[in-house]
Amino acid sequence: MAENPHYLLAVDIGLHTGLAFFSSDQQLLWYRSHHVPNPATLKKLVASILRQQPRPTHLYLEGGGQLADIWIKDAQKLAIAVRQLQAHHWRPQFFYQRQHNNRNTAKKEADTLARQVITDLGGKKPTSLRHDAAEAVLIGLFALIELGWIPEWPNNFQPIK
């Protein structure tokens, strides 16, 4: 009997929110960016995203404060496992320190690696990619490794170290 698939939603929290949705079979199902004008609008977006089918079983959030609380409270209502982290948790897995000391360099490196992950796990080459969506993809990659959903690096995947 086949095991039920699990799903991961990785989020770069902010009013400019980056999202990446993965399945436990190592597939990036979608990624995108949303801009919302205020926390009330974000609350509606979160409720919608967390209830879409298939529903996430795991939620990895980068960020904190009031906006993170919106995600955490709604995920807890739905019994979604939540892991909150900061950039210093996942960036050292993929980059040298010098590559994320400078904000512009970090964004450029994240874009490059996220495009590779999207191609390797999503099967299509991205055309446009906002930095918040790129970071969500990398937060998702960190989560896939941490959860053991990727036992080793995907084919042709080379972290930028």
Side-chain angles (χ1 to χ4, degrees):
M1 186 165 164
E3 188 179 320
N4 288 336
H6 294 278
Y7 297 95
L8 163 73
L9 179 62
V11 181
D12 182 17
I13 297 172
L15 294 178
H16 285 277
T17 300
L19 305 162
F21 194 65
F22 298 84
S23 67
S24 57
D25 64 355
Q26 305 175 9
Q27 294 295 307
L28 172 59
L29 302 175
W30 54 259
Y31 61 94
R32 58 182 166 242
S33 179
H34 285 279
H35 172 66
V36 294
N38 54 53
T41 305
L42 178 64
K43 189 173 182 176
K44 291 176 188 174
L45 176 68
V46 168
S48 171
I49 289 171
L50 293 182
R51 286 163 178 79
Q52 289 177 1
Q53 295 297 325
R55 276 191 180 172
T57 54
H58 297 75
L59 177 64
Y60 271 62
L61 303 168
E62 180 196 303
Q66 175 189 11
L67 301 182
D69 291 343
I70 292 169
W71 285 97
I72 292 167
K73 286 177 185 174
D74 208 25
Q76 288 173 337
K77 288 178 192 173
L78 299 168
I80 297 170
V82 178
R83 167 106 153 80
Q84 188 175 9
L85 54 117
Q86 301 300 325
H88 69 268
H89 293 115
W90 64 266
R91 282 185 179 152
Q93 296 291 321
F94 307 125
F95 306 111
Y96 290 118
Q97 183 67 36
R98 69 179 181 271
Q99 293 172 300
H100 55 91
N101 279 342
N102 175 286
R103 183 181 166 119
N104 290 334
T105 302
K107 285 181 183 183
K108 181 182 174 206
E109 297 294 345
D111 182 88
T112 300
L113 183 55
R115 287 175 183 278
Q116 185 176 353
V117 172
I118 291 165
T119 300
D120 288 354
L121 299 182
K124 59 182 178 179
K125 194 171 184 170
T127 52
S128 66
L129 183 64
R130 285 187 44 88
H131 70 86
D132 48 3
E135 293 220 341
V137 168
L138 297 182
I139 294 161
L141 178 62
F142 174 84
L144 292 173
I145 295 164
E146 187 172 88
L147 292 167
W149 295 1
I150 293 182
E152 57 188 55
W153 298 110
N155 293 340
N156 302 320
F157 178 78
Q158 296 297 318
I160 307 174
K161 286 185 93 169

